[in-house]
Amino acid sequence: MDSTSLPQSVPLGEAIPPNSRHTILCSLPTMKSMNALAAGEDWLTSQLKTQYPRFFFTTEVRELTERILERLGLAGVDGVSCMVLWSLPSVSRCERAIREAGAPGDEVVPVRFFLPERLSCEASWLEIHAIIYPTQYFGAAFTNWINTGDGMSSRHAEFCLPGFDYLQSHSSKPAFCTVPPKTLVVEGEQLPVLLTSGTVEEDRIKQDIATLLQPDDQDQALPSPNDVFLYPGGMSAINAVARALGNLGINSGVFGFGWLYTETVKILEHRWPDIEIYKKSGDEELDRLEASLKSGRQITALWVDVPSNPMLITPDMPRLRRLANEHHFLILIDGTVGTFGNVDLLPYADVLMSSLTKMYSGYANVLAGCAVVNPRSSSYEKLHRQLTVSYEKTLFPGDIAVLHDNSRDFVHRVQVTNRNAEIIAAKLAAHPAVDRVNYPTMTTRPQYERIRRRDGGYGHLLSIIFRDNETARRFYDGVDIFKGGSFGTIFTLSTPFAQLATDADRGRFAEAGIPSHIVRISIGMEDIDALVDTLFGAIELAMMRD
């Protein structure tokens, strides 16, 4: 779509943008639909044609699953489910999650599908794994899919489908050991072909990220492409770093500071059940953290999102770094919201993570993430070594190519969305229907300025806290823009953030001060006058009462 044209509302469950292949977004045009998604209500989920892939099996993945069940003689068999994965480590993680939920050992069966002979680069990407398990444990398997980011991408599944009949299968269960229905000796038959190996594009992305992360302070050590690790999603990157810490023997003393992304908290709580989170991130909370450290509290690692989403709060990162240096703990930063172009975060992190799905890609059609080890970290050698040893090359070449192509205009997109968002945030803050606006210029500006790059802005993401629930609902339901659950896109995208919370998460949201009448908006690249007219016209209509 033309990035300067204003998007319009899309019918429930349809792709955003309309008719786009491999999109990661579907339209959720009302607060009712967003609430229903969080609750998993059938009337809503049955209408979804696509969705964010960590929370949804794409058409390609579902078709591959059906082909596997058919091959194994399980098509239509009640009580049996199949989870499709790509790497052996991801199989182990999923199998462990299902068994921990109580599944009998002999009913959880991994199956490997592979070419009889590895003939090419394509052969390695055609190798897939399935776990056959009792359907009653679907919740555990799907939660693992969501929280680990181990799922197969739609492009990868699409690539595997035409080659599936050439794969043989092997399993500890003899009935699941099958021969390929087709062979390559038949004239005219051929395997699917990769358009690229992804190697060149991967190297360029890593070089680009290393360049973008060069610090404003010339005395700081420069990251190299070798310090950048790419993953098939932001959650995959966070999980990889968490596993690395565990493998380094960090079994306790892990803390969070400020509001962390919900799935990040779940990952950390699963690995470190005793994790404690300093829920606020202001100076008073820092005082409490410092006093606790001085009294003898042992901290080994501290996780922080900068700025937080949807609070848009930035902690005092120089002070946090000083405390980390003095008391010898690691700082792990998720800098997705801040973006490489706006904030200089690597000097304060031992490892910096980011969801490349968001602003770095910008086009909502590929998942990817990264972790970058700070070369100045006192723990650089052991962190880098552990991430290298445990690295799984699972980002599909087709996805790498799309990410590389999307990222070419990253800097320009950051500049345009910065400018648009700052204008809109200022206008919103002055509107009588708005209680306050979460935006770095209005939440914790002094702290943000300490990390802002010399040529950086304040970002594309803001949250509107309306004065009441009804105005928020009327605004969200009525505003004529794209509506769905992500951010960092070239187009403006709205999300009623509190409605994303499941019943289990609502308490945490309320405790953090995230009200039900908050609407998060990721500002895009559209014409600013048209965008202002649309947003503020919707607010005026929302203020009217029947």
Side-chain angles (χ1 to χ4, degrees):
M1 62 171 286
D2 179 358
S3 63
T4 62
S5 62
L6 197 66
Q8 296 179 326
S9 291
V10 175
L12 173 64
E14 297 287 340
I16 295 177
N19 304 313
S20 53
R21 293 189 65 210
H22 301 294
T23 181
I24 64 169
L25 292 173
C26 77
S27 178
L28 296 162
T30 64
M31 279 201 178
K32 180 181 178 181
S33 63
M34 191 67 78
N35 275 318
L37 178 69
E41 295 179 14
D42 289 341
W43 73 265
L44 184 285
T45 56
S46 64
Q47 297 185 66
L48 299 183
K49 295 184 178 178
T50 186
Q51 170 58 313
Y52 201 86
R54 274 200 310 109
F55 302 97
F56 184 80
F57 297 131
T58 65
T59 299
E60 297 82 2
V61 170
R62 289 199 302 271
E63 184 177 345
L64 189 57
T65 301
E66 291 167 2
R67 296 276 293 277
I68 289 170
L69 289 171
E70 183 179 358
R71 170 80 76 86
L72 301 180
L74 298 172
V77 176
D78 291 337
V80 176
S81 289
C82 171
M83 188 65 71
V84 183
L85 299 161
W86 188 74
S87 71
L88 274 173
S90 68
V91 171
S92 298
R93 289 189 285 269
C94 187
E95 184 178 1
R96 183 166 56 248
I98 297 170
R99 293 192 191 283
E100 287 175 354
D106 59 351
E107 294 186 21
V108 182
V109 186
V111 185
R112 174 184 171 227
F113 291 85
F114 59 98
L115 281 172
E117 295 182 14
R118 179 166 289 192
L119 305 173
S120 62
C121 173
E122 281 81 358
S124 63
W125 289 102
L126 280 171
E127 181 170 321
I128 56 177
H129 299 266
I131 296 182
I132 307 301
Y133 66 97
T135 300
Q136 69 190 87
Y137 300 103
F138 172 79
F142 192 52
T143 297
N144 177 79
W145 172 287
I146 291 172
N147 290 343
T148 62
D150 280 342
M152 179 177 284
S153 79
S154 59
R155 285 186 186 84
H156 191 178
E158 182 181 60
F159 172 77
C160 290
L161 281 167
F164 181 74
D165 284 345
Y166 301 106
L167 306 181
Q168 72 180 66
S169 65
H170 178 76
S171 172
S172 61
K173 187 171 183 175
F176 293 165
C177 297
T178 67
V179 296
K182 294 182 179 180
T183 64
L184 292 172
V185 298
V186 178
E187 185 177 354
E189 297 284 358
Q190 63 179 15
L191 293 172
V193 177
L194 287 171
L195 298 179
T196 174
S197 69
T199 302
V200 172
E201 293 91 341
E202 180 177 6
D203 289 345
R204 288 174 178 170
I205 290 170
K206 292 167 72 171
Q207 178 62 66
D208 184 43
I209 291 173
T211 301
L212 289 166
L213 286 175
Q214 290 187 8
D216 286 343
D217 182 353
Q218 297 302 313
D219 292 333
Q220 294 282 345
L222 300 179
S224 76
N226 190 48
D227 298 324
V228 181
F229 296 82
L230 297 184
Y231 298 92
M235 278 297 102
S236 300
I238 290 171
N239 270 282
V241 173
R243 287 194 296 269
L245 297 191
N247 292 338
L248 289 171
I250 295 178
N251 299 315
S252 61
V254 177
F255 287 74
F257 193 78
W259 174 264
L260 301 179
Y261 179 55
T262 300
E263 263 64 49
T264 300
V265 173
K266 292 175 181 177
I267 290 167
L268 301 182
E269 287 179 339
H270 181 75
R271 184 167 289 275
W272 297 286
D274 61 345
I275 185 173
E276 182 176 331
I277 297 177
Y278 287 83
K279 296 181 175 62
K280 308 295 181 182
S281 51
D283 289 341
E284 288 185 8
E285 197 79 309
L286 261 174
D287 291 341
R288 190 165 77 88
L289 172 64
E290 184 169 9
S292 178
L293 287 164
K294 288 181 177 178
S295 69
R297 165 163 276 179
Q298 296 297 309
I299 293 181
T300 55
L302 189 79
W303 295 72
V304 58
D305 289 4
V306 186
S308 59
N309 166 29
M311 315 296 279
L312 281 300
I313 290 174
T314 301
D316 185 340
M317 292 310 301
R319 185 179 173 191
L320 263 181
R321 185 69 258 173
R322 287 194 298 271
L323 288 174
N325 292 344
E326 181 179 347
H327 296 277
H328 310 292
F329 61 84
L330 301 171
I331 295 182
L332 301 314
I333 299 177
D334 184 338
T336 302
V337 173
T339 77
F340 305 137
N342 286 326
V343 290
D344 187 11
L345 284 172
L346 192 60
Y348 308 103
D350 292 278
V351 181
L352 175 65
M353 295 153 285
S354 182
S355 171
L356 303 179
T357 307
K358 308 304 192 295
M359 182 57 79
Y360 188 76
S361 166
Y363 290 84
N365 61 359
V366 65
L367 295 188
C370 73
V372 185
V373 185
N374 183 354
R376 288 202 65 180
S377 168
S378 60
S379 300
Y380 172 81
E381 294 296 337
K382 63 181 182 181
L383 287 168
H384 194 282
R385 186 185 313 113
Q386 188 56 54
L387 284 171
T388 301
V389 167
S390 60
Y391 187 70
E392 303 167 38
K393 190 177 178 63
T394 52
L395 186 53
F396 181 62
D399 291 321
I400 294 174
V402 171
L403 179 65
H404 175 254
D405 190 54
N406 289 354
S407 68
R408 293 174 190 269
D409 61 348
F410 168 72
V411 172
H412 174 64
R413 285 187 279 109
V414 168
Q415 292 169 345
V416 173
T417 55
N418 282 347
R419 184 168 59 250
N420 284 354
E422 190 170 1
I423 291 170
I424 289 169
K427 289 180 177 293
L428 285 168
H431 198 285
V434 175
D435 181 45
R436 68 182 187 276
V437 175
N438 291 343
Y439 191 65
T441 57
M442 302 171 190
T443 51
T444 48
R445 183 164 189 162
Q447 291 87 340
Y448 187 91
E449 293 292 355
R450 293 180 188 126
I451 61 170
R452 184 167 69 90
R453 292 187 176 276
R454 294 189 185 100
D455 57 352
Y458 300 95
H460 59 278
L461 197 65
L462 59 86
S463 295
I464 311 169
I465 294 86
F466 287 94
R467 295 194 181 278
D468 58 78
N469 288 333
E470 183 62 13
T471 303
R473 184 193 66 78
R474 285 171 173 257
F475 168 78
Y476 182 79
D477 290 0
V479 66
D480 199 14
I481 58 175
F482 290 153
K483 304 170 193 178
S486 190
F487 61 91
T489 50
I490 61 168
F491 44 80
T492 296
L493 185 67
S494 180
T495 308
F497 193 85
Q499 276 63 43
L500 289 172
T502 62
D503 289 342
D505 294 328
R506 291 192 192 283
R508 180 172 173 263
F509 276 50
E511 195 175 65
I514 298 176
S516 57
H517 44 283
I518 186 173
V519 178
R520 185 186 72 188
I521 301 184
S522 176
I523 301 297
M525 300 179 68
E526 301 90 354
D527 175 79
I528 185 62
D529 292 331
L531 190 52
V532 167
D533 288 346
T534 296
L535 293 176
F536 286 85
I539 293 177
E540 294 303 319
L541 289 174
M543 293 174 67
M544 297 179 182
R545 295 295 188 265
D546 296 333

